[in-house]
Amino acid sequence: MDASVNRIPSSVDEKAFLIGIVTDGQDIKAVEDSLAELDLLVSTAGAVIIESTIIKRKKIDPAHIIGKGYLDKLKDIVIREGIRLIVFDLNKIRPAQVRNLEELLKCRIIGRTEVILDIFAQRARSAEAKIQVELAQLKYILPRIKGLGGALSRLGGGIGTRGPGEKMIETDRRHILRRISKLDRELRKIAEHRSLIRKSRSSEILGAVVGYTNAGKSTLINVLAKDDLFVENRLFATLDAFTRTVFLDHGKKILLTDTIGFIRNLPANLIESFKSTLEEIQNADFLIHLIDITSRDIENNIKTVENELLALECLNKPNIMFFNKIDSLQNCGVREFIMNRYPYPIIGSAIKRIGIDELRERFIFIYDSIHKSAHRAGRF
């Protein structure tokens, strides 16, 4: 098996039905926002969304997730609309639940995690990204093989099936464990190579551009470094950490690293597999937190990124908050809210170069501050 993660082609116009679950004590607004995000994720993965709904329950049904009454209704919708895929806005679905639902509804059942993994599989371009994604998929599949049983052989192509493929899925656990071990070794070699590169840059000042997915990180680096990193207005357009030089005034320069976008409920296996890439954030001298000012859920997006930075022990690094896409903002009240809510924000647009001069001034201030501290410590 090679490291390719995209051997099974996507189905054409795969019809999907999305389901959010509200249990007792849950915030309905949070569930609505999460389902709206799932809609964008599933569309990005390539499906056509026929309908989405939120179901209220006291608790998740251990056999079918939802109750029998709605199951009968759902079965009729699947037949009438030709639904091939049902996506639950849940991070974890038990293998027995998947098996029971697929037998009853005669279509594939997946959760949010499988959708995100599928998008990463489509987006992986470099050898490192392909290894990272395949590793995350295998670690996700491994504990579920026994419980899913025959359901795996019925998957065919489509969202949630791209990756190791049916042959890998149907092999025994030892074969998968061997594959995981091999991929781990390959990633360790890449990590060692990254470490050598970082050592060669030890005298440089490094900034990492972080943010929620599709906030415009690559666009910002392109503008600052006058480069041509791949840019696309879609979720997780880039998965690799690219580092570029940004020249400031008076001969000063810094390095800026583009990083993968964060999203709420990012699968733990994915975070673990992308550890070597995320180390670029840990080794940065400062962060540029890029935020899409047009997002309907700015505060939660910021909180999601800050939670990930906290997990990486990077939340206390010097941080510049750049609120991007002001040129597309319709609600004028958002700007005032941001100015009152967050300390020293820059509000601008990378693509229109609004706020770029102010951002460069912040870079120079950080550059001078770090150099003064580094000289005292004997770093430079």
Side-chain angles (χ1 to χ4, degrees), residues 76-87:
D76 291 338
I77 295 173
V78 168
I79 295 171
R80 183 177 70 248
E81 301 291 343
I83 302 294
R84 296 190 58 205
L85 175 69
I86 293 176
V87 187

Side-chain angles (χ1 to χ4, degrees), residues 307-319:
N307 286 341
E308 296 297 343
L309 292 176
L310 181 63
L312 292 169
E313 299 181 350
C314 296
L315 194 55
N316 292 326
K317 289 180 182 288
N319 188 344

Side-chain angles (χ1 to χ4, degrees), residues 8 11 33 35 52 103 110 140 152 164 168 172 183 186 214 229 270 293 310 317 321 344 350 359 377:
I8 302 176
S11 302
D33 289 342
L35 188 62
S52 63
E103 287 177 355
I110 62 174
Y140 181 80
L152 290 169
M168 176 61 80
D172 59 28
L183 294 174
E186 291 181 23
N214 204 33
L229 293 178
L270 209 53
I293 200 171
L310 181 63
K317 289 180 182 288
M321 297 187 81
Y344 310 110
L359 185 59

Side-chain angles (χ1 to χ4, degrees), residues 40 70 73 84 103 117 130 154 158-159 202 221 236 248 323 357 374:
L40 186 57
Y70 195 83
K73 179 182 177 182
R84 296 190 58 205
E103 287 177 355
L117 288 171
K130 290 178 180 180
R154 297 197 306 272
I159 295 172
S202 60
I221 290 184
F236 305 114
L248 307 173
F323 289 82
D357 289 342

Side-chain angles (χ1 to χ4, degrees), residues 22-301:
V22 180
T23 55
D24 285 353
Q26 271 191 300
D27 180 8
I28 182 67
K29 173 67 166 55
V31 175
E32 289 172 349
D33 289 342
S34 183
L35 188 62
E37 186 173 83
L38 181 66
D39 186 299
L40 186 57
L41 285 166
V42 174
S43 296
T44 298
V48 176
I49 298 165
I50 301 302
E51 191 177 336
S52 63
T53 189
I54 293 177
I55 299 173
K56 295 182 179 180
R57 288 193 56 82
K58 287 187 178 297
K59 61 180 182 179
I60 301 291
D61 183 85
H64 297 96
I65 302 176
I66 56 180
K68 188 177 184 304
Y70 195 83
L71 272 174
D72 292 337
K73 179 182 177 182
L74 189 57
K75 191 172 183 179
D76 291 338
I77 295 173
V78 168
I79 295 171
R80 183 177 70 248
E81 301 291 343
I83 302 294
R84 296 190 58 205
L85 175 69
I86 293 176
V87 187
F88 284 89
D89 194 12
L90 299 171
N91 288 331
K92 294 181 181 179
I93 303 177
R94 292 168 53 197
Q97 291 169 326
V98 172
R99 184 178 63 246
N100 293 340
L101 286 168
E102 289 192 348
E103 287 177 355
L104 183 65
L105 299 173
K106 309 304 180 187
C107 67
R108 291 188 301 111
I109 307 295
I110 62 174
R112 170 182 276 256
T113 296
E114 288 95 329
V115 178
I116 294 174
L117 288 171
D118 187 273
I119 294 171
F120 271 63
Q122 294 182 58
R123 292 286 185 266
R125 290 180 174 82
S126 69
E128 180 182 9
K130 290 178 180 180
I131 292 170
Q132 289 167 323
V133 174
E134 184 178 354
L135 188 59
Q137 289 177 316
L138 290 176
K139 287 182 177 179
Y140 181 80
I141 289 168
L142 185 61
R144 290 167 172 78
I145 290 175
K146 186 175 180 180
L148 285 169
L152 290 169
S153 64
R154 297 197 306 272
L155 290 179
I159 295 172
T161 67
R162 278 175 283 261
E166 287 184 42
K167 289 183 180 179
M168 176 61 80
I169 291 172
E170 291 170 356
T171 55
D172 59 28
R173 288 173 59 86
R174 286 176 297 175
H175 190 164
I176 293 178
L177 286 169
R178 284 195 296 270
R179 179 64 178 165
I180 288 174
S181 179
K182 182 176 185 296
L183 294 174
D184 274 330
R185 288 195 300 272
E186 291 181 23
L187 276 188
R188 280 197 295 272
K189 289 180 182 178
I190 292 172
E192 289 170 3
H193 179 65
R194 280 187 180 277
S195 179
L196 291 173
I197 292 175
R198 280 195 292 268
K199 286 180 181 178
S200 71
R201 295 170 174 167
S202 60
S203 62
E204 305 281 356
I205 293 176
L206 175 65
V209 183
V210 301
Y212 211 75
T213 181
N214 204 33
K217 296 182 296 297
S218 297
T219 299
L220 180 65
I221 290 184
N222 281 344
V223 170
L224 291 166
K226 299 178 181 178
D227 211 329
D228 59 350
L229 293 178
F230 178 78
V231 173
E232 188 178 5
N233 187 26
R234 298 182 74 180
L235 301 181
F236 305 114
T238 56
L239 300 183
D240 295 289
F242 293 99
T243 300
R244 296 292 184 266
T245 301
V246 176
F247 292 95
L248 307 173
D249 294 337
H250 310 298
K252 300 173 181 178
K253 67 176 181 177
I254 60 172
L255 301 178
L256 283 188
T257 294
D258 188 14
T259 61
I260 62 172
F262 294 116
I263 196 168
R264 72 187 74 189
N265 302 321
L266 198 61
N269 284 336
L270 209 53
I271 295 173
E272 177 62 27
S273 296
F274 275 77
K275 187 176 180 180
S276 63
T277 303
L278 294 173
E279 282 177 356
E280 298 296 328
I281 299 174
Q282 293 174 315
N283 286 279
D285 295 295
F286 70 99
L287 307 176
I288 303 98
H289 183 175
L290 202 65
I291 302 115
D292 181 354
I293 200 171
T294 67
S295 171
R296 57 178 280 175
D297 202 9
I298 289 177
E299 289 188 279
N300 273 329
N301 289 1

